[in-house]
Amino acid sequence: MFNKEVYSSRRATLREKLGSGVALFLGNEESPYNYLSNQYHFRQDSTFLYLFGLQLPSLIGIMDIDNEQDWIFGDDVDIDDIIWMGPQPSMIELGQQVGVLHTDQLCMAQNFLINAISKGRKIHILPPYRPEHYLAFERLLGIRPDVAKNYVSVELIEAIVSLREIKEAIEIAEIEKAIGITYEMHLTSMQLAHPGVKEQEIAGIIEGISLALGNPPSFPVILSMNGETLHNHKHHQILETGRLMVTDCGAETTMHYAGDITRTVPVGGVFSPLQKDIYNIVLAANMKVIENTRPGRTYQEQHFLATRTLIEGLKAAGLMKGNTDDALAVGAQALFMPHGLGHAMGLDVHDMENFGENHVGYDTKTLRSTLPGHRSLRFGKELKPGMIITDEPGCYFIPALIDKWRTEKLCTEFINYDAVEKMKGFGGIRIEDDILITDTGCRVLGKPIPKTVAEIETVMAASREKVLAAVKAGEKVKIRILN
């Protein structure tokens, strides 16, 4: 955890923003995956982590805004716990570690809240996203699960978003640490992307890198030759020459800050002329965003810049036609890029999206588009120094989507369907970086991960002979063969 002053300062700022009432923060519980004592890797709620810093289950944090008191409710371990876990700090000691002077048993949280409610005080709660959250609200506040969302405090959401969206220097350092691990994951993925290797082997190896150097990945690894499926978690195929492999992955540090990078590489290490052409269109969109992103501009503007670049490139490739502005205005690019340019990133890989995308990525000045593709932009509002956003344009040839649009005669004045038909089987390309908004522009975080055609082919060429020799000999491809 950070120094206790960090958490005390965050809570003090939140108190100022809220002004009055009681703010309730539920820590997460252990979650079994096939029987009670065999549990998933514990992950604390990110807002609880941000304000209270403790990575332990079965805790409740309460901020008494009016009396300027912070509380942590939880139970001390008993001898049975110590047998399995070893000696553990008391709740009083845990509270002191994060600047909280008031602690009590978990069961006393209900009494605290009942007393506050009896005095007519407002209880601020955040949107529930786990089943146990709904049950906790019912137990603590008497709110039925089916109406819990009606009691969510928009004031609390907006106050926390205004805090968490601007990253402190210590947070930026943690995110760069996560991206440093992600660099190792991607470099290894590139080195192993050769014919005869199973996708699952690569996915497993790079997940192991995250576990070895930090925490489990910040989201399930996306690694597939079927990159036209945006979130493809299937890893059952054997890599084939001539295919593209998309790897979208990110590490999470022990402090739970995330990385999120995507690279697309040619199986075997050499792009075909067509692959190179489409790849460079996506790369141009990625780079234009980096060149033009700065405070005061909206990320919605950068999304339009990226999609405009995509349209211009696809027109030059003979896949689109017509006036670029008109095509952009109706969302014609959504056949090729149905998603938005990026999302906020921090303690969550999609930062704070448990509050709802519109609370995090939009405001009264920047409204969400209703057009295809554009409406999928998760973060569109004005950029401020300290924000961290992903820049991830893509180009995909999705057979089912192509068939649907062609059958419905959508955007025929902008799409050359005969040419697009021939692209079925191409797959998809996505290129993603994590960027920090600075005082004057933006900065790509972390050690540069090979991104240009030449950089990727150079990295892959260095490993090709070792990988092919191992596959030919019937050996399992392991990291050791790359050393």
Side-chain angles (χ1 to χ4, degrees):
M1 66 183 69
F2 298 126
N3 293 333
K4 64 182 180 181
E5 290 78 15
V6 171
Y7 303 104
S8 295
S9 176
R10 290 171 175 175
R11 294 192 300 270
T13 304
L14 183 58
R15 275 196 296 273
E16 291 177 8
K17 289 179 177 291
L18 281 178
S20 64
V22 173
L24 170 63
F25 302 96
L26 301 177
N28 281 338
E29 302 289 339
E30 296 278 16
S31 184
Y33 66 83
N34 57 0
Y35 57 90
L36 188 61
S37 61
N38 196 24
Q39 296 156 339
Y40 288 103
H41 182 88
F42 176 71
R43 177 56 158 85
Q44 185 60 283
D45 173 77
S46 293
T47 302
F48 189 95
L49 269 180
Y50 183 82
L51 294 169
F52 293 94
L54 298 176
Q55 301 185 39
L56 297 169
S58 303
L59 298 177
I60 292 174
I62 290 179
M63 291 178 56
D64 184 338
I65 310 297
D66 305 296
N67 295 307
E68 297 187 1
Q69 291 181 347
D70 301 326
W71 290 78
I72 296 177
F73 293 87
D75 296 328
D76 289 332
V77 300
D78 59 22
I79 189 62
D80 289 333
D81 296 316
I82 292 172
I83 290 171
W84 293 99
M85 301 163 56
Q88 302 293 313
S90 67
M91 288 307 306
I92 292 174
E93 292 168 330
L94 289 169
Q96 291 171 345
Q97 291 176 16
V98 293
V100 174
L101 301 180
H102 304 282
T103 62
D104 209 333
Q105 297 176 68
L106 188 62
C107 63
M108 298 305 293
Q110 183 179 26
N111 293 345
F112 185 101
L113 293 165
I114 289 173
N115 181 57
I117 292 169
S118 70
K119 296 177 180 178
R121 301 177 67 191
K122 180 175 178 60
I123 309 298
H124 297 276
I125 64 172
L126 293 171
Y129 61 91
R130 286 190 171 191
E132 59 265 29
H133 294 169
Y134 290 91
L135 297 176
F137 286 148
E138 184 172 32
R139 183 179 72 254
L140 296 169
L141 303 171
I143 299 172
R144 296 198 324 269
D146 59 324
V147 297
K149 291 184 178 180
N150 298 336
Y151 291 84
V152 167
S153 169
V154 175
E155 303 101 301
L156 181 58
I157 289 174
E158 291 177 346
I160 292 175
V161 168
S162 70
L163 280 173
R164 285 181 58 187
E165 71 180 4
I166 306 300
K167 302 302 185 284
E168 303 160 70
I170 51 176
E171 294 182 285
I172 295 167
E174 277 294 313
I175 292 169
E176 292 214 83
K177 188 185 299 181
I179 297 170
I181 301 170
T182 307
Y183 171 93
E184 299 296 337
M185 297 167 74
H186 272 285
L187 204 64
T188 300
S189 179
M190 290 180 188
Q191 291 172 327
L192 296 178
H194 292 285
V197 181
K198 192 172 185 179
E199 292 170 342
Q200 184 177 345
E201 292 186 44
I202 306 175
I205 288 170
I206 65 175
E207 182 171 342
I209 292 171
S210 183
L211 282 163
L213 299 177
N215 259 340
S218 52
F219 59 95
V221 170
I222 298 165
L223 188 150
S224 178
M225 290 187 296
N226 296 117
E228 74 278 7
T229 302
L230 304 186
H231 282 179
N232 197 334
H233 299 295
K234 296 179 180 178
H235 309 133
H236 62 285
Q237 300 176 108
I238 305 297
L239 298 188
E240 301 172 4
T241 302
R243 300 288 300 277
L244 293 169
M245 186 183 82
V246 172
T247 302
D248 186 347
C249 66
E252 185 175 281
T253 69
T254 54
M255 294 286 289
H256 297 291
Y257 285 86
D260 183 8
I261 304 287
T262 306
R263 292 292 185 265
T264 305
V265 303
V267 175
V270 179
F271 287 94
S272 73
L274 177 60
Q275 289 171 343
K276 188 181 299 185
D277 288 344
I278 303 299
Y279 185 92
N280 281 329
I281 294 169
V282 179
L283 180 61
N286 170 273
M287 294 301 296
K288 277 190 177 291
V289 169
I290 293 167
E291 293 164 6
N292 288 276
T293 295
R294 56 182 51 90
R297 295 182 176 177
T298 70
Y299 212 53
Q300 192 174 65
E301 292 171 334
Q302 303 316 302
H303 167 83
F304 290 141
L305 174 62
T307 49
R308 175 185 298 277
T309 304
L310 180 67
I311 291 170
E312 291 287 353
L314 292 175
K315 283 169 59 178
L319 297 167
M320 293 191 73
K321 59 187 178 180
N323 181 273
T324 298
D325 289 336
D326 293 342
L328 195 65
V330 297
Q333 85 295 329
L335 176 62
F336 307 98
M337 182 177 157
H339 61 77
L341 178 62
H343 53 81
M345 200 183 73
L347 270 171
D348 306 310
V349 69
H350 285 192
D351 211 24
M352 299 180 283
E353 284 190 7
N354 56 303
F355 300 160
E357 285 181 8
N358 286 345
H359 285 302
V360 179
Y362 292 88
D363 53 27
T364 55
K365 292 193 297 183
T366 307
L367 303 179
R368 197 176 193 125
S369 172
T370 59
L371 293 170
H374 302 319
R375 63 177 171 240
S376 298
L377 177 64
R378 290 184 165 99
F379 190 99
K381 67 186 179 184
E382 183 177 320
L383 300 168
K384 303 173 186 176
M387 288 180 170
I388 294 179
I389 314 291
T390 64
D391 168 19
E392 49 180 311
C395 184
Y396 316 87
F397 297 91
I398 307 168
L401 190 61
I402 294 169
D403 291 343
K404 181 179 187 298
W405 278 43
R406 190 168 196 175
T407 299
E408 296 177 5
K409 296 181 171 55
L410 299 178
C411 298
T412 54
E413 65 271 43
F414 303 117
I415 297 169
N416 287 320
Y417 279 107
D418 288 343
V420 171
E421 189 74 22
K422 297 175 184 177
M423 298 297 291
K424 289 180 177 178
F426 180 91
I429 293 170
R430 182 163 63 254
I431 304 171
E432 177 183 17
D433 293 309
D434 304 327
I435 59 177
L436 167 70
I437 310 305
T438 65
D439 290 334
T440 57
C442 72
R443 175 170 71 86
V444 178
L445 293 174
K447 183 178 178 180
I449 299 172
K451 184 164 68 171
T452 67
V453 167
E455 289 169 346
I456 290 171
E457 290 186 345
T458 298
V459 166
M460 296 184 72
S463 65
R464 184 184 306 126
E465 295 305 319
K466 290 182 179 180
V467 171
L468 293 178
V471 172
K472 186 176 181 180
E475 297 178 10
K476 281 188 175 294
V477 177
K478 299 182 186 296
I479 293 176
R480 62 174 172 78
I481 71 172
L482 305 176
N483 298 330

